[in-house]
Amino acid sequence: MNSSLKGFIVVMLTGFLLSGCSSTRLVTSWHDPSLGTREAGKVLVIALAQQDSLRRKIEDEFVRQLATLGADAEQSYRIFPDEKLITAETVKAKLPETGKNSVLVTHLVDIKRETVYVPATTEVYPDDRFYMSISRRPLYYNRFDSYYSHSYAAVSKPGYSYDRKLYVLETNLYAASDKLLWTAVTESKEPASLDAAIRNFVGVITADMKNNGLL
């Protein structure tokens, strides 16, 4: 295996490991301390997004994950196909018809940009020249110092930097009375896979809701 191929494999493995890292982190969350431990109940999920397809993906994923935690959730796009029709007044008026007693709203509040620096690395690999047939016996084979120095080869990669976006989202849970029950702010890295990023984001949100006794 030549050095360039070895270096390529290292880059691929590094990318694979990084892709397994969480793309969303919880920045902060708060819940009404007077609630105690309780269930969120029946939830109407609203994702405010510029693209209808994105809105539907987020709401579908929330409904799916909330169902696994025992909540009865429904997508707002089934009730309000046009997001422009969603206002505090229209939601409050429609909520009794849906049979839901709480509203979960998520929306983008900011887009940050940050520069990420990846430091230089040096990887050491067995040297192919060492693995010549013993019968050919390289000249350095009988000397320990030469034997050792020829047994390994180093591949160095320079450091580099790149810019990425961080999407800041706020997610709020309201009671039917408009009372704020819980709120969270998250940061999500610019995703390579939108579907995977949505699953991760929703997972972070629902996990915090559960940890705060809402689910």
Side-chain angles (χ1 to χ4, degrees), residues 90 147 152 195 206:
T90 58
Y147 174 85
Y152 293 90
D195 290 344
T206 54

Side-chain angles (χ1 to χ4, degrees), residues 82-156:
D82 186 350
E83 186 183 306
K84 295 178 181 178
L85 299 177
I86 298 177
T87 65
E89 291 74 21
T90 58
V91 171
K92 193 171 183 178
K94 277 285 187 181
L95 201 58
E97 298 179 23
T98 67
K100 303 296 182 282
N101 59 12
S102 59
V103 181
L104 184 71
V105 184
T106 188
H107 66 109
L108 181 71
V109 295
D110 193 16
I111 300 177
K112 298 180 179 179
R113 288 172 172 79
E114 67 175 9
T115 300
V116 179
Y117 176 70
V118 180
T121 59
T122 299
E123 303 289 344
V124 179
Y125 306 94
D127 192 337
D128 290 344
R129 291 173 295 176
F130 170 71
Y131 293 102
M132 293 172 62
S133 169
I134 298 300
S135 62
R136 295 175 60 183
R137 300 187 66 82
L139 294 177
Y140 56 79
Y141 188 82
N142 290 322
R143 292 183 54 193
F144 178 77
D145 56 347
S146 296
Y147 174 85
Y148 185 83
S149 64
H150 282 80
S151 297
Y152 293 90
V155 177
S156 297

Side-chain angles (χ1 to χ4, degrees), residues 71-86:
D72 178 12
E74 183 176 359
Q75 302 93 328
S76 71
Y77 69 75
R78 298 183 182 277
I79 302 163
F80 301 101
D82 186 350
E83 186 183 306
K84 295 178 181 178
L85 299 177
I86 298 177

Side-chain angles (χ1 to χ4, degrees), residues 45 47 53-69 73-75 77 104 194-206:
V45 179
S53 60
L54 178 59
R55 173 195 176 192
R56 289 170 178 263
K57 282 178 178 288
I58 295 173
E59 292 186 0
D60 285 344
E61 187 61 26
F62 263 115
V63 169
R64 187 188 71 80
Q65 292 199 31
L66 286 170
T68 65
L69 296 173
E74 183 176 359
Q75 302 93 328
Y77 69 75
L104 184 71
L194 180 60
D195 290 344
I198 290 174
R199 286 194 301 272
N200 185 257
F201 161 69
V202 173
V204 170
I205 292 297
T206 54

